[in-house]
Amino acid sequence: ILLILIGHNAIYFKAFFFEAIVSVNLTVMLVLTTMFISVANALPKTSYVKMVDIWLIFNLFYPFQEVLVQTVIEHLRTKIDDKRTINHHGKKLDLDGDKVVGVSKVGGKSEEDTPVVPFNQDLVSIDEKVQRKALKDMYKRDEVLIDQERLDKAIFFARRLMPGVAVLFVMVYSYVGYSNYSLE
């Protein structure tokens, strides 16, 4: 449980430390895999699935799922903001699209949110070309808002639903384990 908590706490790092989030969760998976192999070898061979197998498989699946969710979150963040800052082996890279525009040491303040764009009068223009360009810009802004909504849902899933499912699993697992134990 402690390893899963350590891996889950990594998702509360700043978005800048995506590499660290993935590294921590993959390290947790490596340690859990080693534990799973040693426990499986120490137990007698049976034709049925044991409770400890279910426990260890769930604990292997959880950090894997966190890596997948964090990758989706990072992908949505890059779709929303082409101009971004990433951590690359202890160096801060300022990117514009896929092009590096600045390199510095890690530290400093993060950028503020983008300002709200006022209503564009060209949307109701008489000139069709001007109106079409304004509509394309508006749809692009709306796409960013939709991506922001998806990002918010993914963060909610990672920070609220995944831990809730884990707690529910532990409760059901404990109930089944104790009820089977009391029958013997």
Side-chain angles (χ1 to χ4, degrees), residues 3 5 8-9 13 21 23 41 50 55 66-67 70 72 93 98 104 111 116 126 138 141 145 156 161 174:
L3 287 171
L5 288 174
H8 180 71
N9 282 335
F13 293 170
I21 295 169
S23 297
N41 288 337
K50 296 177 277 306
W55 177 261
E66 283 195 355
V67 169
Q70 292 303 317
V72 168
L93 299 180
D98 291 332
S104 60
E111 296 180 21
V116 177
I126 296 173
M138 182 189 73
R141 251 191 341 269
L145 292 175
F156 176 78
L161 291 181
S174 300

Side-chain angles (χ1 to χ4, degrees), residues 4 11 20 54 57 68 71 80 89 104 109 112 130 158 173 182:
I4 296 299
I11 70 167
I54 295 169
I57 288 171
L68 291 179
T71 304
I80 290 171
H89 302 291
S104 60
K109 297 180 180 178
E112 295 297 320
V130 172
Y173 179 87
S182 64

Side-chain angles (χ1 to χ4, degrees), residues 12-158:
Y12 295 101
F13 293 170
K14 290 182 180 179
F16 179 74
F17 294 109
F18 172 71
E19 276 184 18
I21 295 169
V22 172
S23 297
V24 167
N25 279 296
L26 291 179
T27 303
V28 166
M29 283 182 64
L30 178 66
V31 171
L32 287 171
T33 302
T34 305
M35 286 176 55
F36 180 70
I37 291 170
S38 67
V39 167
N41 288 337
L43 293 173
K45 304 289 183 218
T46 60
S47 61
Y48 55 88
V49 178
K50 296 177 277 306
M51 288 283 290
V52 71
D53 293 335
I54 295 169
W55 177 261
L56 291 172
I57 288 171
F58 175 79
N59 282 321
L60 276 173
F61 178 72
Y62 192 81
F64 175 73
Q65 187 178 6
E66 283 195 355
V67 169
L68 291 179
V69 169
Q70 292 303 317
T71 304
V72 168
I73 289 172
E74 183 65 18
H75 172 72
L76 289 171
R77 282 187 177 132
T78 42
K79 276 181 70 175
I80 290 171
D81 191 11
D82 272 347
K83 295 180 182 180
R84 64 190 190 283
T85 303
I86 63 169
N87 179 15
H88 182 68
H89 302 291
K91 293 180 182 173
K92 184 169 93 171
L93 299 180
D94 296 322
L95 301 176
D96 186 4
D98 291 332
K99 184 179 175 186
V100 177
V101 292
V103 178
S104 60
K105 290 184 178 180
V106 173
K109 297 180 180 178
S110 62
E111 296 180 21
E112 295 297 320
D113 293 336
T114 55
V116 177
V117 178
F119 178 73
N120 186 354
Q121 292 296 327
D122 291 339
L123 288 171
V124 290
S125 174
I126 296 173
D127 187 3
E128 189 176 334
K129 288 180 182 179
V130 172
Q131 186 180 24
R132 194 175 314 141
K133 182 182 180 322
L135 283 170
K136 284 182 182 179
D137 292 342
M138 182 189 73
Y139 291 141
K140 188 172 184 178
R141 251 191 341 269
D142 287 348
E143 185 177 317
V144 169
L145 292 175
I146 290 169
D147 288 339
Q148 181 64 46
E149 186 178 317
R150 288 180 183 155
L151 175 63
D152 293 341
K153 287 179 182 178
I155 290 172
F156 176 78
F157 179 78

